[in-house]
Amino acid sequence: MILIGLHLFGENVNKFEEELADYVGSEHAAALSAGTAAIHMAFKALAIKKGDIVFCSDLTFSATVNPIIYENATPVFIDSEKDTWNMDPKALEKAFEKYPCPKAVIVVHLYGTPAKIEEIKEICDKHNVPLVEDAAESVGATYNNKQTGTFGKYGIYSFNGNKIITTSGGGMLVSRDEEKIAKVRFWATQAREKARHYEHKEIGYNYRMSNIVAGIGRGQLKVLDERIEEKTKIYNTYKKEFEKIEDIRMQPIPKNTKPNHWLSVITLKENSKIKPIDIMEALEKENIESRPVWKPMHLQPIFEKYDFIKVLDKPVSEKLFESGVCLPSDTKMTNEEQEKVIEIIKDLWK
Ligand SMILES: *Cc1c(COP(=O)(O)O)cnc(C)c1O
């Protein structure tokens, strides 16, 4: 075959879609340029438009929210609960009382720890509202042995440079809805109609994953289980070493869940004399990176005009933001390096 030279071959893209869908136990997948693009396409597939309300986890990265705004819809932020740090089913119920007809719910599995997804799914089903799972951080994590991202109508994953597996940049949308996934592939490749010439009836996006990136993704998928094991070991080491420091709590592992432990995160007790900033500064002095927990969306200048639903006076998301520290969790970190991190932190209590 002699080609004009404009074609992109997608063998790896197709294979990566199949292999990822197979791994997570979803039926169909569309490989995209980013997790954010996957969230955007999920909202397009749900026909979310101007004026629609979307319930959204409050404690997350802004990429969960931005696509709601791309479609001129209105986010309503839902507070976290303390068991998983994710969307509180009670606050979600409360949101339904105030806004009975949202167009969708998007829930995040923070730092790789599954939300109370079955409860959340049940609430959404009861109200007949589609659920989207932002599993950008939780690739490979399970709830009752079922992969995060496969409970709702749509699930999204990210393979950005900082995630548990990475293609440098990339994302995936999964669903049981074959037709909608095909539609997303169409939108993501500039909405080119089937015609000899270039024919457009809809607005398209340049969101498709490239074949080279998909090739990397296929390789990454093979090391995912191993990486989860390494991340779990890092988490368990911190847990064991900090057991004797009363002020430190690890992000809890909820019943029936297997987190991927993308990041090991601690919180400090309210009355602890050592504050998160002390830990971050002590580590920084030794050139060791750490971060605060995500700043809640309802506190972000760009989003503070939107409604926020909570059940407790003091929002759980705010408490986590004020008391949390994300610790070094890189799988390239050596045992000695992790010991050093632990020693620096323990020394603060001496
Ligand atoms: C990283 C991330 C995203 C976005 O994924 P990209 O691939 O970087 O676009 C969305 N949501 C959460 C919670 C994330 O951590």
Side-chain angles (χ1 to χ4, degrees), residues 34-36 39 60-61 63-64 108 134 136-137 158-160 163 170 294:
T36 312
I39 297 171
T60 184
F61 178 45
T64 314
V108 178
D134 178 347
E137 300 176 0
S158 167
F159 314 114
N160 197 22
K163 298 301 196 304
W294 298 121

Side-chain angles (χ1 to χ4, degrees), residues 32-39 59-65 67 106-111 134-138 156-163 168-172 262 294:
L32 301 169
S33 55
T36 312
I39 297 171
L59 192 64
T60 184
F61 178 45
S62 64
T64 314
V65 191
I106 181 161
V107 62
V108 178
H109 302 287
L110 212 62
Y111 301 124
D134 178 347
E137 300 176 0
S138 67
I156 79 95
Y157 302 103
S158 167
F159 314 114
N160 197 22
N162 55 0
K163 298 301 196 304
S168 78
M172 193 78 80
W262 171 55
W294 298 121

